[in-house]
Amino acid sequence: MTQLWIDGAATEAGGDARPVQDPATLEEIATVRDATPEDVDRAVRAAQGAFPAWAATDVQKRAGIVRKAADLLQEHADELVASLVREQGKPTLEAKGEFSHFVNGLRFYSELGSKVRGGYQELPSQFGRSYGLTIRRPLGVVAGIIPWNFPLTLLANKLAPALVAGNTMVAKPAETTPLTTLRVAELLTEAGVPDGVVNVVTGAAETGEALVTHPLVRRVAFTGQTSTGQRIAELAGRDLKKVSLELGGSDPTIVLADADLDAAVKTIQIGRYWNCGQMCLAPKRAFVVSELYDQFVDSLVSRVERYEPGKGDEPAEKPKLRIGPLHTARQLEVLQEQVADAVDRGAKVLTGGDVPQDTPGGHFFQPAVVVDVPRDARLATEEVFGPVLPIWRVDDVDQAIEYANDTSYGLGSSIWTRDAGAIDKAMNGLETGITWVNQMHYGYDEMPFGGTKMSGIGREHGAEALEEYVEIKSVVVGGLH
Ligand code: NAD
C-alpha cells in the first residue's frame, strides 16, 4: 500500500483504498488510501510547524535547497518518467518533455527568488525623518491541488515559487496520479528540504475540501476544471483565503491568408494532439480564412492520420507518431458524446473519431479532425479535453476574433499572420490571458500564464507568480532623529 508523505516520512492514510490504474493497459499498478480530514489535519499541522523556521531561512539557502532538489530529481529522471508513463498514460517522449519542464520550473524559481527587490520611499516627516518600505512576507501553509494531465509540471508551478518565497506546502495530486508526486516528495526530503516543508496527501474531492477549508491553510493554488475551481473559490472565500485558479480553456487559433501554412499546421497539430489532447492550453477551435481553408484542412488531416494510439515508445515505423490513451473511461465517454453531438447536427469527421479496433486495453481514441460543426455544438461551446480539432471557415480577422471570443473560456489564443494590423487586433481583441503570434510554446517559465473569464484567476510562471505567494506589507519608519 502506497502511503502519504507527512513531516518528512511515509505514513498510513485512514481512508478507503483506491486502485491506481495504467490508463494504457487498465492494469492495476498500486493501491493508495485516501487521506481523511484527520490525515489532512496532520499534514497541515506539520506544514504549519515547519513554517517559522523555513520562512526565517535565508532566501539564498532556500533557493539553494530547491536547486539541489532539482539536481537530485534530474538524477532520477528515468525512474520518474517511467512512473509518469505508467500512471498518467502519456507516451515516453511526452513524459520526458513534462519532466524537463518540471525540473526547469524548480531551477527558474531557485534563480529568481533571491533577485526580488522591495520598495523604498521618503515620506513626509511627522516625528523626524520618515520613510516607507514595502516588504514581502510569506503567507504560511499553501495548499497545492493538482490535476492528472500534467502531474509534475503543475506541481512545480506551485511548489517552486511557494517554497522559494518562504511558504510551506501540502500538495494533493489527482486521485488517479498520486505515485510520481509521492516519490518526488521523498526525493525532496533526501535533497535537504526540511521535514514538514512539503507534504503530500492523496484522495479526491473530500480530501481536497478538507485541505481547502483547513483553518491553517492561508493560500490555495488550484489547477483543474472550471466547476471545481468555482467550488474551491466558494470554500476559500468563506475565510478570505488567497486563491489562484488555473482552469479549463477552449483556445481559438486563427490562420490568416498570409500565414506560413506549414508552420501553422505543424504547430497546431502538436498543440492539439499532445498529451492526447488533454491540455488546458491546446488550440481547441481553429478559424481559417477561406483562401487557405482547403489547404489547411488537407494538410492537417494527412498529418493527423500518422498517429498510432499505443503505450510508451514511439512507433518503429516512420513517419508514424505515438499518441497515448485518454486518462479515464469517463474522459473517453465525454469526448465520444461531444463528437456524436456534432455529427448528429451535420458535422463531418474527416479522419479518426473512433475507438481503434486493434488497441486492446486502455481508453484509446483515434485522433480526429471535424468540419462543418454548428457554432453552438458541444465541440464549440464546451472544453474538448481530447484529440479532436473542429475547424471553421472565416472571412477575415474581424470575424475570426468575433467567433474566437464567443466562449465562456479565456485561457490562450493564437494567430498566424505577419500583418501588423491583424496582430494588433488579435493581441488587444482576443479575450484571453495569453496570445501567441506565429507560434505556440508551452514551456516559457519566464512568461506569466493564466486565464481570463471562466478560465481562472491569478497567474503562474514568471516573476508575477512569486508575487502570488507573498503578502505585501508596508512598513513606515519614523522617529529616528
Ligand atoms: P478536476 O477539477 O476534476 O480535479 C483537479 C484536482 O482537484 C484533483 O486533484 C481533484 O482531486 C481535486 N478536486 C476535485 N474536486 C475537488 C473539490 N471539491 N475540492 C477540492 N479539490 C477537488 O480537474 P481534472 O479533470 O483533474 O483536470 C482537467 C482540467 O484541468 C481541465 O479542465 C483542464 O483544462 C484544467 N487544466 C487547467 C490548466 C491551467 O493552467 N489553466 C492546466 C492543466 C489543466
Side-chain angles (χ1 to χ4, degrees):
M1 184 79 68
T2 308
Q3 297 177 314
L4 312 178
W5 193 261
I6 297 178
D7 212 6
T11 166
E12 283 296 342
D16 292 342
R18 187 188 285 277
V20 180
Q21 230 181 22
D22 178 338
T25 60
L26 306 190
E27 181 199 348
E28 202 173 300
I29 52 176
T31 309
V32 179
R33 270 191 205 289
D34 283 1
T36 59
E38 292 72 31
D39 296 323
V40 169
D41 182 58
R42 279 196 290 141
V44 175
R45 284 184 191 284
Q48 179 69 23
F51 174 63
W54 183 246
T57 300
D58 177 84
V59 65
Q60 293 284 5
K61 193 164 174 210
R62 289 199 302 258
I65 291 173
V66 172
R67 192 164 46 248
K68 205 168 146 223
D71 293 345
L72 183 67
L73 290 161
Q74 186 66 57
E75 284 170 27
H76 290 263
D78 290 348
E79 174 203 343
L80 293 165
V81 165
S83 170
L84 203 52
V85 170
R86 286 196 91 196
E87 69 174 339
Q88 206 288 333
K90 62 182 72 192
T92 312
L93 181 77
E94 296 180 9
K96 284 184 178 168
E98 177 172 357
F99 185 79
S100 302
H101 198 188
F102 166 61
V103 171
N104 289 345
L106 297 177
R107 293 205 167 115
F108 177 78
Y109 285 103
S110 74
E111 284 167 24
L112 189 72
S114 58
K115 296 179 179 57
V116 174
R117 301 177 63 187
Y120 163 86
Q121 57 188 309
E122 298 277 342
L123 296 172
S125 58
Q126 271 191 312
F127 305 102
R129 197 167 74 82
S130 293
Y131 58 89
L133 304 172
T134 22
I135 64 168
R136 290 168 169 77
R137 299 291 315 139
L139 300 161
V141 180
V142 176
I145 303 185
I146 294 138
W148 47 258
N149 63 338
F150 289 96
L152 289 187
T153 306
L154 298 171
L155 174 69
N157 289 356
K158 298 163 182 59
L159 185 74
L163 258 54
V164 169
N167 305 279
T168 56
M169 177 167 271
V170 178
K172 195 199 80 62
E175 56 274 28
T176 51
T177 52
L179 306 176
T180 318
T181 310
L182 284 163
R183 178 69 179 128
V184 164
E186 191 178 354
L187 289 167
L188 292 178
T189 301
E190 198 180 314
V193 173
D195 294 352
V197 170
V198 178
N199 309 273
V200 178
V201 294
T202 54
E206 198 186 332
T207 308
E209 293 201 5
L211 185 56
V212 172
T213 54
H214 194 291
L216 293 175
V217 167
R218 292 310 316 151
R219 159 86 165 90
V220 182
F222 171 77
T223 302
Q225 295 184 47
T226 294
S227 55
T228 316
Q230 288 171 301
R231 172 76 181 146
I232 286 178
E234 205 181 297
L235 294 173
R238 291 179 193 167
D239 294 318
L240 298 182
K241 295 178 183 185
K242 270 187 190 251
V243 287
S244 56
L245 304 170
E246 297 285 345
L247 309 177
S250 182
D251 290 11
T253 185
I254 297 172
V255 184
L256 299 187
D258 69 331
D260 177 340
L261 182 69
D262 203 41
V265 171
K266 278 186 195 155
T267 312
I268 292 169
Q269 174 217 336
I270 294 168
R272 176 63 287 207
Y273 300 94
W274 189 262
N275 214 39
C276 196
Q278 303 163 115
M279 187 155 75
C280 56
L281 275 172
K284 294 177 183 148
R285 296 172 296 138
F287 300 103
V288 184
V289 288
S290 298
E291 295 95 312
L292 268 194
Y293 181 86
D294 291 336
Q295 274 174 278
F296 179 90
V297 170
D298 291 348
S299 173
L300 184 70
V301 167
S302 72
R303 292 186 143 267
V304 171
E305 283 174 344
R306 288 162 49 187
Y307 281 112
E308 188 179 89
K311 179 177 167 64
D313 295 336
E314 289 301 293
E317 193 195 328
K318 298 287 174 219
K320 292 270 183 212
L321 299 167
R322 175 65 72 228
I323 189 161
L326 274 304
H327 185 61
T328 62
R330 181 65 194 142
Q331 286 292 125
L332 176 58
E333 215 174 275
V334 171
L335 187 65
Q336 287 174 308
E337 286 166 11
Q338 288 169 324
V339 173
D341 164 71
V343 170
D344 287 349
R345 302 178 57 196
K348 287 193 209 64
V349 178
L350 300 182
T351 183
D354 304 313
V355 169
Q357 297 303 319
D358 52 352
T359 328
H363 316 294
F364 290 102
F365 186 83
Q366 197 68 45
V369 176
V370 189
V371 294
D372 299 338
V373 179
R375 282 192 35 248
D376 59 352
R378 292 179 61 185
L379 282 185
T381 59
E382 295 178 3
E383 179 176 42
V384 177
F385 221 53
V388 176
L389 184 65
I391 308 173
W392 286 271
R393 189 191 292 269
V394 289
D395 296 336
D396 54 23
V397 67
D398 296 312
Q399 189 178 47
I401 292 174
E402 181 196 330
Y403 289 3
N405 285 339
D406 186 18
T407 171
S408 58
Y409 293 109
L411 193 53
S413 57
S414 52
I415 184 162
W416 297 83
T417 181
R418 292 193 187 89
D419 176 336
I423 293 169
D424 186 64
K425 282 184 180 180
M427 63 192 243
N428 289 298
L430 288 167
E431 297 163 351
T432 57
I434 304 162
T435 295
W436 288 281
V437 181
N438 296 323
Q439 64 124 288
M440 273 177 228
H441 191 296
Y442 307 108
Y444 290 129
D445 290 308
E446 296 83 354
M447 294 299 293
F449 163 109
T452 62
K453 292 156 82 174
M454 298 302 275
S455 290
I457 295 173
R459 293 292 180 264
E460 292 195 331
H461 292 297
E464 289 77 0
L466 262 186
E467 294 288 323
E468 303 221 2
Y469 289 91
V470 292
E471 199 85 72
I472 303 252
K473 180 169 184 177
S474 295
V475 180
V476 178
V477 181
L480 296 179
H481 316 286

